[in-house]
């Protein structure tokens, strides 16, 4: 019998999965991990800035502007800002050395980044010499009222961005489990939006839509709201990158907030699409650090398994979760919930203006748990995992023992998705 050893990203390291070749139904990878550029990461970004899509160059846009704000993803996203930001800053300063530049960290509904996380992300030189503002979605005094979203929700955006003479955004494009893809307009909503605006956009009706799925933009109700928010915020220019499994830049797309983003999404879809291989057990991850810091974020990787599993199958999720659950309301929803079915019923009965914190993540996890048992291989506390209606395992071997017991047989097949957040299962 031939055994395969498959490396699964886990925190800043990995876990090995040893499994017999004859048991494997499918091994789903994104081809971003195979894509090679002849240029360095900085050269890729520089070339994108010099050849914008559907827009004037950043140099032209920067001339004569006094307040320039650069929206930047926070510590929960593996955006290689240490590569992107120096190129963006150099481009702006070459055209306008007198500009007041502010980096606005798009925390969305997350906690603020620490000084250590900022230095790890940007490097000491940028942290010490560029004004960095941390978005706080719950500080209403920091928000500007831009009217109403197409969905009917209030559109409140960080005042620092709204008052800019030039608003640009850096970020990365990856498959997203309900927005279709990350990047582009997501820098605005949820990135720098009021928490109330995020709640309205992430309502139960929208998350329940069949168009609110990985890799889908057309007719996606969340995406429609996000596009509107970006337009009303006057997001003028973006620089978005695509990264490989080592979090290295393999492509970059700069220019118009929609045209450049769509071009990047098309490029990624061509590499990330993988034909689903239905199995009784699906092993997946959240791609390692920083995306697997908590259970909240790990739901994303679980949805890749959802798209490639038989009815009643078992999801094995390997995610370090060094920060625990990642959302108090998210955790309490399951700890206090009688069952996934009851949790889902309560969520679906809420109107848009009744959306509660972390509801969207709870809704997706409840959807998964209604159909599948989930075994977490994690460093999070065992009680926390069990409180959230999942099974705890301290190793891959233990996870498979639990899965076999749950299935009640040993003749099961396995599909492995080593990086669940990088794949669009078709």
């Amino acid at each position: 019998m031939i055994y395969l050893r498959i490396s699964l990203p886990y925190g800043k390291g990995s876990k090995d999965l040893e499994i017999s070749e004859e048991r494997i139904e499918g091994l789903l990878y994104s081809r971003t991990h195979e894509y090679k550029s002849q240029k360095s990461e900085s050269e890729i970004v520089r070339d994108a800035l010099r050849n914008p899509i559907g827009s004037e160059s950043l140099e032209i846009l920067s001339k004569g502007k006094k307040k320039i704000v650069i929206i930047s993803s926070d510590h929960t996203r593996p955006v290689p800002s240490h590569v992107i930001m120096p190129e963006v800053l150099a481009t702006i300063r070459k055209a306008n050395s007198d500009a007041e530049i502010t980096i606005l960290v798009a925390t969305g509904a997350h906690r603020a980044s620490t000084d250590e996380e900022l230095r790890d992300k940007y490097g000491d030189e940028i942290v010490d010499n560029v004004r960095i503002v941390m978005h706080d979605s719950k500080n209403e005094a920091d928000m500007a009222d831009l009217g109403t979203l197409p969905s009917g929700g209030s559109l409140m955006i960080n005042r620092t961005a709204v008052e800019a003479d030039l608003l640009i955004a850096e970020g990365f494009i990856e498959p997203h489990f309900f927005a279709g893809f990350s990047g582009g307009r997501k820098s605005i909503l949820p990135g720098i939006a009021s928490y109330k605006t995020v709640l309205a956009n992430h309502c139960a009706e929208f998350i329940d839509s069949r168009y609110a799925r990985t890799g889908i933009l057309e007719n996606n109700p969340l995406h429609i709201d996000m596009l509107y928010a970006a337009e009303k915020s006057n997001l003028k220019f973006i620089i978005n990158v695509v990264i490989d499994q080592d979090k290295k830049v393999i492509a970059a797309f700069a220019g118009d907030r929609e045209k450049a983003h769509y071009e990047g999404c098309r490029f990624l879809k061509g590499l990330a699409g993988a034909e689903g291989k239905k199995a009784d057990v699906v092993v997946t991850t959240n791609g390692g650090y920083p995306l697997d810091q908590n259970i909240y974020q790990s739901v994303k990787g679980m949805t890749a398994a959802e798209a490639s599993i038989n009815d009643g199958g078992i999801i094995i999720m390997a995610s370090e979760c060094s920060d625990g659950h990642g959302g108090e309301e998210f955790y309490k929803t399951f700890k206090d919930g009688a069952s996934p079915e009851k949790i889902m019923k309560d969520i679906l009965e809420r109107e848009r203006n009744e959306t509660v914190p972390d509801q969207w993540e709870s809704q997706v996890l409840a959807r998964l748990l209604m159909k599948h048992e989930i075994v977490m291989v994690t460093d999070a506390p065992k009680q926390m995992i069990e409180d959230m209606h999942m099974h705890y395992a301290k190793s891959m071997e233990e996870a498979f023992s639990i899965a076999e017991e749950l299935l009640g047989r040993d003749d099961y097949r396995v599909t492995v998705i080593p990086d669940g957040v990088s794949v669009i299962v078709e």
Side-chain angles (χ1 to χ4, degrees):
M1 187 178 294
I2 299 173
Y3 277 84
L4 299 179
R5 176 172 288 183
I6 302 169
S7 180
L8 304 174
Y10 187 88
K12 293 185 177 181
S14 63
K15 280 193 178 292
D16 286 340
L17 167 62
E18 289 194 10
I19 188 168
S20 64
E21 191 176 56
E22 64 184 26
R23 195 180 283 280
I24 294 287
E25 182 67 31
L27 189 55
L28 310 186
Y29 284 102
S30 167
R31 293 186 300 283
T32 54
H33 305 337
E34 302 169 356
Y35 187 91
K36 302 297 180 186
S37 173
Q38 299 303 310
K39 302 174 183 177
S40 70
E41 293 181 272
S42 295
E43 287 172 331
I44 293 170
V45 172
R46 201 175 306 135
D47 284 353
L49 290 171
R50 289 172 178 168
N51 298 281
I53 299 166
S55 168
E56 293 181 306
S57 69
L58 184 55
E59 290 97 326
I60 292 175
L61 293 173
S62 298
K63 288 180 179 177
K65 302 299 192 300
K66 183 179 179 181
K67 295 181 179 179
I68 298 178
V69 174
I70 308 166
I71 303 171
S72 177
S73 298
D74 72 359
H75 60 282
T76 67
R77 302 292 186 264
V79 181
S81 298
H82 63 284
V83 174
I84 304 169
M85 198 60 74
E87 298 297 334
V88 172
L89 292 171
T91 301
I92 293 171
R93 286 169 175 157
K94 183 178 179 181
N96 184 354
S97 59
D98 295 327
E100 297 175 9
I101 301 174
T102 298
I103 295 174
L104 177 59
V105 180
T107 57
H110 308 147
R111 66 167 174 80
S113 302
T114 65
D115 181 74
E116 181 182 357
E117 287 167 338
L118 290 175
R119 292 181 185 279
D120 183 58
K121 185 174 183 61
Y122 302 113
D124 291 340
E125 183 177 346
I126 288 177
V127 173
D128 290 337
N129 294 288
V130 180
R131 179 177 181 244
I132 298 177
V133 173
M134 199 69 55
H135 173 67
D136 180 356
S137 66
K138 295 181 181 178
N139 187 346
E140 294 297 318
D142 285 350
M143 304 300 155
D145 187 347
L146 299 185
T148 305
L149 292 165
S151 63
S154 175
L155 177 56
M156 305 287 289
I157 299 296
N158 190 292
R159 196 176 301 278
T160 297
V162 173
E163 294 177 350
D165 298 318
L166 175 63
L167 182 63
I168 66 180
E170 60 119 50
F172 85 131
I173 302 172
E174 67 166 349
H176 191 278
F177 68 133
F178 57 71
F181 291 90
S182 68
R185 74 286 184 242
K186 266 186 110 267
S187 291
I188 301 293
L189 175 59
I192 58 164
S194 161
Y195 199 47
K196 291 180 181 178
T197 300
V198 176
L199 292 177
N201 176 252
H202 289 29
C203 65
E205 176 191 349
F206 282 8
I207 299 297
D208 195 46
S209 169
R210 64 191 179 94
Y211 299 107
R213 296 292 186 271
T214 304
I216 299 176
L217 294 178
E218 189 174 359
N219 297 319
N220 186 322
L222 293 108
H223 174 62
I224 292 168
D225 262 9
M226 291 171 180
L227 287 178
Y228 183 86
E231 177 187 357
K232 289 299 180 183
S233 301
N234 199 25
L235 178 60
K236 198 69 177 177
F237 190 94
I238 67 167
I239 171 69
N240 281 182
V241 300
V242 175
I243 60 177
D244 63 16
Q245 64 182 347
D246 298 318
K247 313 299 189 283
K248 302 294 186 183
V249 177
I250 61 170
F253 303 86
D256 178 79
R257 63 178 178 263
E258 292 186 35
K259 294 176 182 177
H261 183 244
Y262 284 146
E263 190 66 28
C265 291
R266 280 192 289 270
F267 171 84
L268 178 59
K269 194 166 188 175
L271 292 176
E275 182 182 354
K277 300 291 185 181
K278 294 291 184 76
D280 298 315
V281 175
V282 180
V283 179
T284 187
T285 80
N286 229 50
Y289 182 88
L291 292 176
D292 73 345
Q293 291 182 77
N294 53 55
I295 301 170
Y296 180 98
Q297 291 293 335
S298 300
V299 175
K300 296 177 180 179
M302 295 177 194
T303 62
E306 178 189 26
S308 192
I309 195 168
N310 289 328
D311 292 344
I314 312 298
I315 295 172
I316 295 178
M317 180 71 189
S319 186
E320 185 179 51
C321 301
S322 56
D323 281 350
H325 51 66
E328 188 62 33
E329 293 300 322
F330 172 59
Y331 170 64
K332 286 175 64 179
T333 293
F334 287 89
K335 184 177 186 297
D336 299 338
S339 67
E341 289 78 11
K342 180 63 167 60
I343 291 168
M344 180 64 82
K345 181 177 182 294
D346 290 344
I347 290 173
L348 292 177
E349 287 177 349
R350 294 177 192 143
E351 298 294 333
R352 180 173 293 108
N353 61 0
E354 297 174 332
T355 304
V356 300
D358 302 334
Q359 174 181 296
W360 47 95
E361 218 78 7
S362 298
Q363 186 173 352
V364 176
L365 181 55
R367 185 182 81 211
L368 294 169
L369 286 168
M370 285 167 63
K371 296 180 179 179
H372 308 287
E373 300 282 352
I374 299 174
V375 183
M376 289 282 292
V377 180
T378 182
D379 285 9
K382 183 175 187 288
Q383 188 61 54
M384 182 182 293
I385 298 301
E386 293 177 347
D387 284 345
M388 298 187 73
H389 301 259
M390 295 182 285
H391 304 271
Y392 170 87
K394 56 181 176 291
S395 67
M396 294 305 300
E397 293 77 14
E398 184 180 1
F400 272 91
S401 293
I402 294 170
E404 191 168 310
E405 183 177 342
L406 290 169
L407 287 171
R409 53 190 174 86
D410 61 6
D411 61 341
Y412 56 88
R413 304 276 287 172
V414 180
T415 288
V416 182
I417 311 174
D419 186 349
V421 292
S422 72
V423 174
I424 300 172
V425 181
E426 299 171 341

